[in-house]
Amino acid sequence: MVASGLFKGIQKSVRGAVKKAIISHHRRSDTVLFSDTTLRDGEQMPGATLEPQDKLRIAQALEAAGVHSLDAGFPASSQADIEAIQLMIGVIKGPVLTALCRTVRGDIDAAEEALAGNPRNKRGVSLFCGTSPLHREHKLRKEQAEVVSLISDTVGYAGEKFDIVAFSPEDASRTEPEFLVECYREAIDAGATTIGFPDTVGILTPEKARDTIRYVQDNVPNIDRALLAVHFHNDLGLAVANTLACVQEGANVVQCTINGIGERAGNASLEEVAMALALHEDQYGVKIKVDTTRLYELTQLVAELTGIGLSPMKPVGGDNIFATEAGIHQDGLLKNPDTYLPFRPEKVGASGIRLVLGRHSGRRAVAHRLQELGIELSDEQVLGVLEAIKDVPKGVSIDDDLLAELARGL
Ligand code: KIV
Ligand code: ZN
């Protein structure tokens, strides 16, 4: 009995040492980790409901893209979330699977049950509790001290069951900075391995986000014992910009969703944050492990399975991102694709540039398409086709059949 107690004690302290080493390695490394919350915050979007099988497919695509962790669901809130998590166990082996919990012991028990079977280093809990005056007074009806002791109690409890414990003060961006620091300090002392900064209502600007993260980094005395994760909502259209501003201030983890789906105006879009970091490594000084060539496929999969379509202008996944109808742009793209693109389609795994023929097109694009169709015309004849294109009524798309017909009608 005594020996087994001793063995457990040794095991616990070895795990503690390993945990500490992993955290300090991540904090010192120049890599930003992606934590995807499409399956939880994303699914909270009205109309975006996903079946457990759909969640598994998205989780597999996220795994293939190299995402570090998946916010896989909220077991205490829904049986379907438990089913989805259980489908992932044994199949999703790369990313850490985390389950969302309120600062309620029962939620942590539900998470433990849902995640049972996943290796210890691949499962975690993500606790949240409102900390802003609005949440304390109107939602929780608790004083600051009561909130702090709730955090310590539940984070400590979670630490007995999980090696990976994140704590997020909900509505962090509207919480008094001194109190925010106190919540983080207590959470880390109680065993939190990650502290989250959620801008729950998407109110911040990049400058304010950056200043707040700087303040947290400078004032939480034990911050070196945890990773710092940031989580932005997009109510002002600034979620991606805010996320990047915090990376510049040393955030270790970015929480995002594919296509930016999520509550209200959504969350920071994973594909946009990843591309900005990939293209501006010089500015941010960090590397990412996300394979950007998987991003286009992910955007299409999430749009298909959630039924939440993409605006044609949506960065990375929208229909128009590698398409143009303008003659000058078409001419430039044919000479060198980089003339009118920030990155080539293959960088995100999209199929290619699309030159759309229409009233704004130029001679070169028309000649190019005709040639691809094996229709050889003189310069003069190409100009004739171009004139004919300009007469095609609005709303009729110039597909290959129509183009060939216009060429034949010369
Ligand atoms: O936006 C938010 O505050 C959240 C919490 C659950 C962390 O998603
Ligand atoms: Zn959120």
Side-chain angles (χ1 to χ4, degrees):
M1 258 337 231
V2 174
S4 107
L6 189 64
F7 181 65
K8 278 194 181 145
I10 293 170
Q11 256 189 335
K12 200 172 163 193
S13 76
V14 168
R15 277 209 311 271
V18 170
K19 230 161 47 177
K20 221 167 130 187
I22 292 173
I23 289 167
S24 91
H25 166 78
H26 277 312
R27 282 192 71 83
R28 277 186 283 107
S29 90
D30 56 357
T31 303
V32 162
L33 305 174
F34 278 77
S35 165
D36 181 88
T37 182
T38 307
L39 305 177
R40 199 276 301 166
D41 219 337
E43 202 210 12
Q44 276 176 230
M45 178 170 179
T49 309
L50 291 161
E51 295 302 334
Q53 279 293 347
D54 298 338
K55 288 195 178 181
L56 178 63
R57 277 182 68 192
I58 294 172
Q60 286 173 309
L62 288 164
E63 176 173 43
V67 167
H68 172 76
S69 58
L70 307 182
D71 180 1
F74 190 175
S77 84
S78 123
Q79 183 57 33
D81 279 19
I82 297 175
E83 276 170 41
I85 290 172
Q86 287 177 346
L87 279 183
M88 291 175 212
I89 291 173
V91 179
I92 303 299
K93 296 189 172 148
V96 173
L97 300 181
T98 63
L100 189 72
C101 301
R102 292 166 296 180
T103 42
V104 169
R105 285 180 175 229
D107 282 20
I108 298 162
D109 295 338
E112 185 184 30
E113 222 173 289
L115 285 161
N118 225 30
R120 265 194 101 92
N121 66 339
K122 293 290 176 185
R123 64 187 167 98
V125 274
S126 190
L127 272 57
F128 71 97
C129 173
T131 52
S132 66
L134 277 164
H135 281 239
R136 293 192 316 260
E137 285 161 32
H138 300 281
K139 202 178 85 173
L140 302 172
R141 298 185 196 285
K142 287 193 192 303
E143 298 296 328
Q144 286 189 351
E146 292 174 285
V147 172
V148 169
S149 84
L150 188 59
I151 295 169
S152 305
D153 174 67
T154 49
V155 169
Y157 183 69
E160 289 166 21
K161 296 167 182 283
F162 290 91
D163 289 347
I164 299 168
V165 178
F167 169 72
S168 291
E170 196 185 16
D171 207 14
S173 47
R174 293 189 298 181
T175 300
E176 305 90 327
E178 301 76 16
F179 183 54
L180 191 61
V181 161
E182 188 182 345
C183 293
Y184 285 141
R185 179 171 42 77
E186 288 293 326
I188 297 170
D189 269 348
T193 52
T194 296
I195 51 167
F197 178 81
D199 180 21
T200 304
V201 298
I203 187 70
L204 289 187
T205 60
E207 293 75 18
K208 286 188 176 169
R210 195 194 53 212
D211 290 351
T212 312
I213 291 305
R214 186 72 267 141
Y215 180 83
V216 168
Q217 301 267 36
D218 289 344
N219 289 283
V220 176
N222 46 5
I223 191 129
D224 58 315
R225 283 166 32 204
L227 298 180
L228 176 58
V230 292
H231 175 113
F232 284 96
H233 281 272
N234 201 33
D235 298 70
L236 298 179
L238 294 170
V240 170
N242 289 341
T243 303
L244 296 173
C246 295
V247 168
Q248 195 114 46
E249 283 303 327
N252 313 103
V253 182
V254 290
Q255 293 178 351
C256 307
T257 62
I258 298 296
N259 298 339
I261 61 170
E263 280 285 344
R264 304 181 311 281
N267 290 57
S269 144
L270 186 146
E271 63 279 9
E272 294 175 26
V273 172
M275 285 310 294
L277 293 176
L279 295 176
H280 296 286
E281 204 182 304
D282 58 332
Q283 180 186 344
Y284 294 102
V286 293
K287 294 189 176 20
I288 61 170
K289 288 187 175 154
V290 167
D291 176 358
T292 62
T293 67
R294 300 280 187 162
L295 292 174
Y296 181 80
E297 181 194 341
L298 262 165
T299 64
Q300 307 307 302
L301 181 69
V302 170
E304 180 200 327
L305 296 180
T306 56
I308 308 289
L310 295 179
S311 148
M313 298 173 296
K314 171 72 182 66
V316 181
D319 273 355
N320 286 358
I321 300 310
F322 301 107
T324 181
E325 194 194 299
I328 293 173
H329 285 218
Q330 292 182 333
D331 182 51
L333 288 169
L334 284 167
K335 289 173 175 150
N336 180 336
D338 299 325
T339 51
Y340 285 105
L341 289 178
F343 51 85
R344 295 202 180 183
E346 47 282 19
K347 180 89 182 158
V348 292
S351 56
I353 295 167
R354 206 160 44 86
L355 301 182
V356 179
L357 299 182
R359 288 183 196 177
H360 307 102
S361 302
R363 187 184 50 78
R364 239 178 92 79
V366 174
H368 178 81
R369 189 67 198 143
L370 286 166
Q371 223 167 32
E372 281 183 335
L373 296 174
I375 303 171
E376 293 295 335
L377 297 183
S378 67
D379 286 355
E380 211 175 310
Q381 286 171 316
V382 170
L383 282 176
V385 175
L386 192 59
E387 282 312 306
I389 285 175
K390 294 190 195 298
D391 287 339
V392 170
K394 184 179 167 184
V396 176
S397 74
I398 321 265
D399 60 15
D400 290 345
D401 288 345
L402 181 53
L403 186 64
E405 204 175 301
L406 294 176
R408 276 196 300 274
L410 286 176

PDB file of all heavy atoms in Angstrom, residues 38 67 76 126 186 205 260 360-361:
ATOM      1  N   THR A  38     -13.246  25.225 -34.152  1.00  0.00           N
ATOM      2  CA  THR A  38     -14.362  25.094 -35.104  1.00  0.00           C
ATOM      3  C   THR A  38     -15.445  24.158 -34.562  1.00  0.00           C
ATOM      4  O   THR A  38     -16.641  24.413 -34.718  1.00  0.00           O
ATOM      5  CB  THR A  38     -13.840  24.512 -36.444  1.00  0.00           C
ATOM      6  OG1 THR A  38     -12.742  25.303 -36.883  1.00  0.00           O
ATOM      7  CG2 THR A  38     -14.916  24.472 -37.508  1.00  0.00           C
ATOM      8  N   VAL A  67      -2.637  20.987 -37.054  1.00  0.00           N
ATOM      9  CA  VAL A  67      -3.129  21.805 -35.936  1.00  0.00           C
ATOM     10  C   VAL A  67      -2.722  21.143 -34.614  1.00  0.00           C
ATOM     11  O   VAL A  67      -2.779  19.914 -34.476  1.00  0.00           O
ATOM     12  CB  VAL A  67      -4.670  21.976 -36.073  1.00  0.00           C
ATOM     13  CG1 VAL A  67      -5.282  22.534 -34.810  1.00  0.00           C
ATOM     14  CG2 VAL A  67      -4.968  22.879 -37.267  1.00  0.00           C
ATOM     15  N   ALA A  76     -20.360  18.418 -20.878  1.00  0.00           N
ATOM     16  CA  ALA A  76     -21.444  18.590 -19.903  1.00  0.00           C
ATOM     17  C   ALA A  76     -22.684  19.195 -20.548  1.00  0.00           C
ATOM     18  O   ALA A  76     -23.776  19.138 -19.979  1.00  0.00           O
ATOM     19  CB  ALA A  76     -20.972  19.476 -18.751  1.00  0.00           C
ATOM     20  N   SER A 126     -10.466  22.575 -20.738  1.00  0.00           N
ATOM     21  CA  SER A 126     -10.378  24.008 -20.917  1.00  0.00           C
ATOM     22  C   SER A 126     -11.487  24.632 -20.082  1.00  0.00           C
ATOM     23  O   SER A 126     -12.658  24.544 -20.442  1.00  0.00           O
ATOM     24  CB  SER A 126     -10.568  24.254 -22.414  1.00  0.00           C
ATOM     25  OG  SER A 126     -10.292  25.547 -22.730  1.00  0.00           O
ATOM     26  N   GLU A 186      -3.656  32.975  -9.735  1.00  0.00           N
ATOM     27  CA  GLU A 186      -4.277  31.892  -8.944  1.00  0.00           C
ATOM     28  C   GLU A 186      -4.419  30.623  -9.777  1.00  0.00           C
ATOM     29  O   GLU A 186      -4.184  29.518  -9.297  1.00  0.00           O
ATOM     30  CB  GLU A 186      -5.664  32.331  -8.455  1.00  0.00           C
ATOM     31  CG  GLU A 186      -5.621  33.366  -7.359  1.00  0.00           C
ATOM     32  CD  GLU A 186      -5.043  32.833  -6.048  1.00  0.00           C
ATOM     33  OE1 GLU A 186      -5.249  31.641  -5.732  1.00  0.00           O
ATOM     34  OE2 GLU A 186      -4.360  33.620  -5.349  1.00  0.00           O
ATOM     35  N   THR A 205      -9.404  46.502 -30.104  1.00  0.00           N
ATOM     36  CA  THR A 205      -8.666  46.884 -31.313  1.00  0.00           C
ATOM     37  C   THR A 205      -7.263  46.273 -31.189  1.00  0.00           C
ATOM     38  O   THR A 205      -6.851  45.914 -30.079  1.00  0.00           O
ATOM     39  CB  THR A 205      -8.519  48.413 -31.393  1.00  0.00           C
ATOM     40  OG1 THR A 205      -7.800  48.846 -30.232  1.00  0.00           O
ATOM     41  CG2 THR A 205      -9.876  49.106 -31.468  1.00  0.00           C
ATOM     42  N   GLY A 260     -13.649  31.263 -39.920  1.00  0.00           N
ATOM     43  CA  GLY A 260     -14.028  32.266 -38.923  1.00  0.00           C
ATOM     44  C   GLY A 260     -15.435  32.077 -38.383  1.00  0.00           C
ATOM     45  O   GLY A 260     -16.009  33.000 -37.808  1.00  0.00           O
ATOM     46  N   HIS A 360     -15.303  43.120 -68.818  1.00  0.00           N
ATOM     47  CA  HIS A 360     -14.058  43.819 -68.466  1.00  0.00           C
ATOM     48  C   HIS A 360     -12.807  43.095 -68.953  1.00  0.00           C
ATOM     49  O   HIS A 360     -11.695  43.530 -68.699  1.00  0.00           O
ATOM     50  CB  HIS A 360     -13.975  43.988 -66.944  1.00  0.00           C
ATOM     51  CG  HIS A 360     -15.180  44.619 -66.367  1.00  0.00           C
ATOM     52  ND1 HIS A 360     -16.154  43.898 -65.714  1.00  0.00           N
ATOM     53  CD2 HIS A 360     -15.610  45.895 -66.398  1.00  0.00           C
ATOM     54  CE1 HIS A 360     -17.121  44.712 -65.345  1.00  0.00           C
ATOM     55  NE2 HIS A 360     -16.822  45.921 -65.746  1.00  0.00           N
ATOM     56  N   SER A 361     -13.018  41.963 -69.630  1.00  0.00           N
ATOM     57  CA  SER A 361     -11.850  41.175 -70.045  1.00  0.00           C
ATOM     58  C   SER A 361     -11.115  41.838 -71.199  1.00  0.00           C
ATOM     59  O   SER A 361     -11.670  42.679 -71.915  1.00  0.00           O
ATOM     60  CB  SER A 361     -12.280  39.782 -70.512  1.00  0.00           C
ATOM     61  OG  SER A 361     -12.959  39.148 -69.484  1.00  0.00           O
TER      62      SER A 361
END
